[in-house]
């Protein structure tokens, strides 16, 4: 990664404007050599009918943070990232507060990035464990 922590966070939060990430109020809050962390509020806007965090909202957080993290390992002028598979195990429920998604690189190949994303609550309890596979594509040349 050739970016500072501040540059990474600013860029991630900037490209979240007018997207699902903004709708879910996902905010990128920490970054390092092999990880990226974002937080998301847990409130009725991300609940399922039983008043708990919806698994789909957890997966949206996981894919958002894992895909954003891959962006910093590519040349964005020449390449782009596409999520091709995500899996999630929901281990604990939460009704309110914040969840934090931290993506850590497992495999960084030329064409495939594999991420483990742990979603935790404010006390560090594991809420969901996700795995995301991203494909790195060459950008189509426009003439």
């Amino acid at each position: 990664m050739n970016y500072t922590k501040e540059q990474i966070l600013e860029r991630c939060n900037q490209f979240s404007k007018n997207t699902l990430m903004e709708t879910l109020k996902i905010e990128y809050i920490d970054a390092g050599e092999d990880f990226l962390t974002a937080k998301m509020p847990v409130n009725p806007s991300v609940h399922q009918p039983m008043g708990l965090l919806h698994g789909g909202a957890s997966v949206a957080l996981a894919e958002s943070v894992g895909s954003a993290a891959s962006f910093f390992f590519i040349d964005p002028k020449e390449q782009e990232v596409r999520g091709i598979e995500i899996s999630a195990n929901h281990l604990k429920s939460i009704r309110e507060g914040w969840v934090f998604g931290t993506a850590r690189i497992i495999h960084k190949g030329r064409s495939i990035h594999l991420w483990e994303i742990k979603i935790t609550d404010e006390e560090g309890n594991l809420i969901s464990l996700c795995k995301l596979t991203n494909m790195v594509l060459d950008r189509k040349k426009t003439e």
Side-chain angles (χ1 to χ4, degrees):
M1 250 190 256
N2 296 323
Y3 302 91
T4 67
K5 174 182 169 177
E6 293 74 23
Q7 289 172 319
I8 292 169
L9 298 177
E10 181 181 340
R11 188 147 197 193
C12 287
N13 287 313
Q14 197 61 29
F15 65 56
S16 293
K17 301 280 187 222
N18 301 314
T19 67
L20 178 65
M21 287 80 77
E22 183 175 64
T23 301
L24 296 176
K25 297 183 176 28
I26 293 171
E27 179 185 355
Y28 295 89
I29 60 168
D30 199 10
E33 283 296 313
D34 67 343
F35 78 95
L36 180 63
T37 301
K39 68 179 183 176
M40 180 178 71
V42 180
N43 56 45
S45 70
V46 294
H47 282 170
Q48 41 93 308
M50 301 301 292
L52 303 169
L53 174 63
H54 193 291
S58 296
V59 171
L61 172 61
E63 184 156 359
S64 297
V65 73
S67 293
S70 274
F71 181 82
F72 293 98
F73 290 122
I74 66 167
D75 176 354
K77 291 179 180 146
E78 300 291 326
Q79 300 169 302
E80 54 192 18
V81 174
R82 295 285 187 275
I84 59 171
E85 183 178 7
I86 189 162
S87 65
N89 293 99
H90 305 299
L91 306 168
K92 187 173 170 64
S93 59
I94 181 172
R95 291 184 184 278
E96 60 185 15
W98 291 89
V99 286
F100 302 85
T102 299
R104 292 193 181 278
I105 191 79
I106 295 171
H107 172 77
K108 182 179 68 167
R110 282 191 330 261
S111 60
I112 296 288
H113 294 171
L114 178 61
W115 294 91
E116 176 187 75
I117 302 99
K118 289 184 178 178
I119 299 177
T120 59
D121 64 14
E122 293 168 278
E123 286 77 44
N125 297 308
L126 187 60
I127 303 299
S128 296
L129 181 62
C130 306
K131 185 176 72 171
L132 172 67
T133 306
N134 289 329
M135 179 172 48
V136 179
L137 299 170
D138 290 332
R139 282 195 180 273
K140 292 191 188 323
K141 305 290 183 204
T142 56
E143 298 177 48

